[in-house]
Amino acid sequence: MTCLFRVLHIILKLLKLNDSELKDDFICLSIHHIQKLHWDPGYRLNAGKVVSIVTDDRHSLTKDSAQFGIVSGSLLQLLCSLVEQSDTEDTDLRDIFVELADVIPRLATFLQEQQDIPKSLSQYSKHKILMLMIRLKPHIQQNCSHVVCLLKLLQRHFQSPLHEPMFQHSTKLENCLEGSPFLLSGVGLGELQDKSTRHLQRQAMYLFLSCSIVLACSGNDSRLKCSCKRDQCCHKGEGCTDNCNYFGLSEISVWFQRCCLDKILDSKSSTDIVLCFLQLYMEEDDMLFIILLQLLDAPLISLAIDKMETKWTSELIGAKLFSVVFDPVRIFHQWLSLLHYDHLVLVDYLISKDVGVHCAQYLLRCLRLVSGCWDAFVDDSVYEAQIQKFNCKRQRTLKNINSLTGSSMEGTKLGSSHDKENKSKEQLFLSAKVCLLSLKRTLEDLHKKDLFPYNPKPLLKSLSRFEELCVQY
């Protein structure tokens, strides 16, 4: 079976390389036959129950754990390649991708039950399963019930990377991943395991936040369908969409409280959380920009909570604070600071074959946000006030500490360093200003010499608007 999967993978590569008309037909046929692998007829996939694999006849996968790790790894590698192109408009292809989602919990369940699989194979399989889920998500997210299934699957099989603290890893930019995060060459075992763990954490957190935000904002998207039962989400809303909406918000709230909320005492510690989060993703450029683009939707979480019944909002204080802490304009500031405000790094990102388009999208959307939230970009004290407000509310709700004493201490702390903080904020703005205006001049120069790989005029237009605001300020 391993050889068969590898042969299919090679055929697919050749079809993609030659841009063959047979490629889509090959993908459909391959997925169709993979789904015909002998699954246990006694189980069915739904939002609350996952399927097991039977291993007792000649059509089933092998009982031997180590060998199954290799077989499943080859199968997952093939599946990831089959859904590599996520921008397809072929309806038949999209439909079969939706059906393919059934394979993921089957493999994940069986792999979790195998205790004797070598750790490297186990890590690789988890990496491929997460990659497959990420690639399938654009095809299945139009139905809330499918997104709920992905979230439940994450909670069931990826608890460890999803809830692992972001603060325990000391990220070094010189240790950026090259190629597969599981390659052994030139890397010690301890460092390799740490890299693979961080990689799994990045994948799990991105998929979790992406799915949760889709559900949290489901009430605003009329294109979304929902076929899940009421008990598969929760019972807070009046309709199915309301249930999915609350489910997404509550998942974010619980996750953020578990991972980060106890560390947020003031604006400085909330900044540290954002920096740790970004540093985690700085090791992989492709993952960095897809999470940055996803977090541009963070304010929608707060808007979704504001539209809900008041009696449920106290349960979602974690999601509300997440929306404030991960405000896109604030993240943009922190991201530039992690780049040491080096505009040449931005140029490198923009001309990159792998992440250039995503970087351009991110910069365009951020510059548009900055134009609409100029005061917040210049002075982020508005975020400090919001964080203080939600912390006081959280303290009262959880009854962890005396809110009056906490407010008094916070006020003393903020007041004693007021002048120093103002100078720091001004320096942040000036550094970001110099960086972005330097980027504008460099792009203009490259464009005039016809050295830029694509048309930078939309980005230059946004940077010109930014320059106008700086002059007015």
Side-chain angles (χ1 to χ4, degrees):
M1 291 188 74
T2 302
C3 293
L4 173 61
F5 294 145
R6 287 175 180 169
V7 168
L8 292 174
H9 192 233
I10 292 170
I11 294 173
L12 180 61
K13 276 187 175 181
L14 291 172
L15 291 175
K16 287 182 177 180
L17 184 64
N18 298 321
D19 197 23
S20 172
E21 295 179 357
L22 296 173
K23 182 185 64 179
D24 288 351
D25 290 335
F26 177 83
I27 290 174
C28 289
L29 283 171
S30 297
I31 293 175
H32 175 72
H33 286 290
I34 287 171
Q35 287 178 300
K36 281 192 170 184
L37 286 174
H38 191 79
W39 308 109
D40 187 345
Y43 292 85
R44 293 291 182 268
L45 174 64
N46 55 51
K49 188 183 292 183
V50 289
V51 185
S52 299
I53 297 178
V54 80
T55 59
D56 58 0
D57 66 22
R58 61 189 181 89
H59 297 295
S60 302
L61 299 178
T62 177
K63 287 183 178 181
D64 182 82
S65 295
Q67 189 178 348
F68 179 79
I70 298 173
V71 173
S72 61
S74 299
L75 173 59
L76 286 166
Q77 186 181 43
L78 173 62
L79 289 173
C80 287
S81 296
L82 288 170
V83 294
E84 190 171 12
Q85 290 188 324
S86 59
D87 57 348
T88 180
E89 296 181 0
D90 189 320
T91 305
D92 293 335
L93 206 54
R94 281 185 175 273
D95 289 343
I96 201 163
F97 284 162
V98 171
E99 294 176 12
L100 179 60
D102 289 359
V103 174
I104 302 174
R106 299 174 185 182
L107 282 170
T109 300
F110 189 87
L111 283 167
Q112 190 178 48
E113 293 172 353
Q114 306 307 305
Q115 303 298 325
D116 299 327
I117 293 179
K119 186 171 182 180
S120 58
L121 279 176
S122 176
Q123 291 283 83
Y124 179 80
S125 297
K126 288 177 181 178
H127 153 67
K128 284 296 184 182
I129 289 174
L130 285 169
M131 179 186 290
L132 183 58
M133 291 165 71
I134 290 170
R135 290 182 178 181
L136 282 173
K137 179 184 162 287
H139 304 290
I140 65 176
Q141 66 182 9
Q142 295 304 314
N143 191 313
C144 291
S145 58
H146 295 148
V147 183
V148 170
C149 283
L150 285 183
L151 277 175
K152 287 182 176 291
L153 194 60
L154 277 172
Q155 296 287 11
R156 186 186 298 264
H157 298 290
F158 298 95
Q159 277 277 349
S160 179
L162 186 59
H163 295 291
E164 187 173 352
M166 292 179 285
F167 311 94
Q168 69 182 35
H169 299 304
S170 177
T171 304
K172 299 178 181 178
L173 296 183
E174 64 267 24
N175 288 337
C176 291
L177 297 175
E178 297 180 4
S180 169
F182 304 99
L183 290 177
L184 287 167
S185 56
V187 182
L189 182 59
E191 185 180 353
L192 173 71
Q193 290 175 345
D194 190 41
K195 282 188 174 184
S196 64
T197 299
R198 293 200 306 271
H199 178 76
L200 291 175
Q201 186 178 15
R202 282 188 283 271
Q203 288 181 303
M205 285 172 54
Y206 163 71
L207 186 61
F208 171 80
L209 289 174
S210 179
C211 290
S212 296
I213 290 173
V214 166
L215 291 179
C217 306
S218 58
N220 301 324
D221 194 342
S222 58
R223 297 171 300 172
L224 288 178
K225 301 176 182 178
C226 193
S227 58
C228 61
K229 297 178 181 178
R230 251 179 122 70
D231 59 358
Q232 290 173 354
C233 300
C234 59
H235 303 277
K236 302 297 182 184
E238 295 299 324
C240 190
T241 302
D242 295 324
N243 280 320
C244 290
N245 180 240
Y246 183 90
F247 182 74
L249 291 170
S250 63
E251 287 290 297
I252 293 175
S253 190
V254 171
W255 172 80
F256 193 56
Q257 181 163 336
R258 182 169 176 177
C259 292
C260 308
L261 209 54
D262 60 340
K263 294 181 173 59
I264 300 179
L265 300 175
D266 52 39
S267 60
K268 183 181 182 303
S269 56
S270 67
T271 300
D272 291 340
I273 285 175
V274 172
L275 287 173
C276 286
F277 186 89
L278 292 176
Q279 283 177 329
L280 177 65
Y281 281 90
M282 290 292 282
E283 295 183 15
E284 289 185 83
D285 294 343
D286 54 344
M287 290 295 296
L288 170 67
F289 285 104
I290 62 171
I291 193 68
L292 287 174
L293 286 167
Q294 184 63 68
L295 288 174
L296 290 172
D297 294 330
L300 298 177
I301 295 172
S302 182
L303 293 175
I305 295 174
D306 291 341
K307 292 179 181 180
M308 299 187 71
E309 296 181 45
T310 308
K311 61 180 178 179
W312 304 123
T313 55
S314 61
E315 300 178 15
L316 302 173
I317 192 68
K320 191 85 170 179
L321 193 52
F322 171 87
S323 184
V324 176
V325 171
F326 285 89
D327 181 89
V329 175
R330 201 162 186 244
I331 288 179
F332 185 47
H333 249 311
Q334 300 304 327
W335 178 59
L336 291 177
S337 72
L338 281 177
L339 301 180
H340 305 292
Y341 301 102
D342 187 345
H343 71 285
L344 293 178
V345 177
L346 293 176
V347 174
D348 287 341
Y349 279 140
L350 287 168
I351 64 177
S352 167
K353 181 178 68 174
D354 297 321
V355 300
V357 173
H358 287 154
C359 179
Q361 289 175 339
Y362 180 66
L363 285 174
L364 281 168
R365 291 183 64 182
C366 282
L367 288 169
R368 193 179 304 126
L369 282 172
V370 167
S371 298
C373 310
W374 181 251
D375 291 339
F377 183 74
V378 174
D379 181 2
D380 68 350
S381 59
V382 60
Y383 304 122
E384 294 179 12
Q386 286 179 309
I387 288 169
Q388 255 189 303
K389 172 186 173 183
F390 287 123
N391 265 318
C392 290
K393 189 179 293 185
R394 175 171 62 93
Q395 289 165 359
R396 288 197 300 269
T397 302
L398 301 177
K399 298 180 181 179
N400 286 334
I401 61 174
N402 184 288
S403 60
L404 181 61
T405 305
S407 299
S408 175
M409 290 172 63
E410 188 78 12
T412 303
K413 179 179 178 181
L414 293 174
S416 62
S417 57
H418 183 71
D419 294 337
K420 184 177 179 181
E421 286 184 2
N422 281 342
K423 290 180 181 179
S424 176
K425 291 170 193 171
E426 185 178 359
Q427 185 58 47
L428 285 173
F429 165 68
L430 292 175
S431 297
K433 171 186 171 182
V434 171
C435 173
L436 293 172
L437 295 184
S438 298
L439 174 65
K440 176 177 177 291
R441 289 191 293 270
T442 302
L443 291 183
E444 287 173 338
D445 186 50
L446 290 172
H447 184 50
K448 286 178 183 177
K449 297 176 180 178
D450 200 23
L451 294 175
F452 204 71
Y454 52 88
N455 184 6
K457 286 184 179 179
L459 188 53
L460 287 171
K461 183 178 179 182
S462 295
L463 288 168
S464 296
R465 174 57 181 158
F466 175 80
E467 187 174 29
E468 291 173 7
L469 291 170
C470 290
V471 171
Q472 294 172 10
Y473 178 72

